[in-house]
Amino acid sequence: MAKQPAKSVGIRPIPTRTVRAGPGRPPVHNETWSKVSVVLFDRQILHLDRLATSVRGRGGKLLNRAEIIRALIDGLIDSGMDITGTASEKDLRARVARRLSTPVSVSRGAL
């Protein structure tokens, strides 16, 4: 039996979905998208829900968790902040907080 050549390890393209018109809820995305799963801490989910409720209570648009998370990611991308030298999640959080002029709380869980 011939030995199979080793496959090169690389980055796979991410499968994307396109917006399709049809029955049901109207499409809300204007670009291709992928559904991903991420692990968030309960405190983060609680804070996201409180933010969404607060925005809605002040007469703002109804925002859900995904919209808030996407806006934060796009804000980081649009800022041009170079995070390539970031050593850890904790370091990234501190750098982003400094950039936003918000002190990082010491009481947050260790990462």
Side-chain angles (χ1 to χ4, degrees), residues 2 6-7 16 35 37 49 51 55 57 65 68-69 71-72 74 78 81-82 84 86 97:
K7 292 183 178 180
T16 58
K35 186 172 183 175
S37 296
D49 289 344
L51 281 173
V55 168
R65 293 176 189 159
I68 295 169
I69 292 168
L72 291 169
D74 280 339
D78 293 347
M81 184 176 173
D82 181 11
T84 56
T86 304

Side-chain angles (χ1 to χ4, degrees), residues 7-44:
K7 292 183 178 180
S8 64
V9 178
I11 298 175
R12 296 183 299 139
I14 299 173
T16 58
R17 294 173 180 33
T18 56
V19 178
R20 293 181 194 92
R25 296 176 70 179
V28 295
H29 305 292
N30 295 326
E31 59 185 284
T32 58
W33 57 276
S34 297
K35 186 172 183 175
V36 297
S37 296
V38 296
V39 175
L40 298 176
F41 299 118
D42 289 341
R43 65 177 171 78
Q44 294 168 324

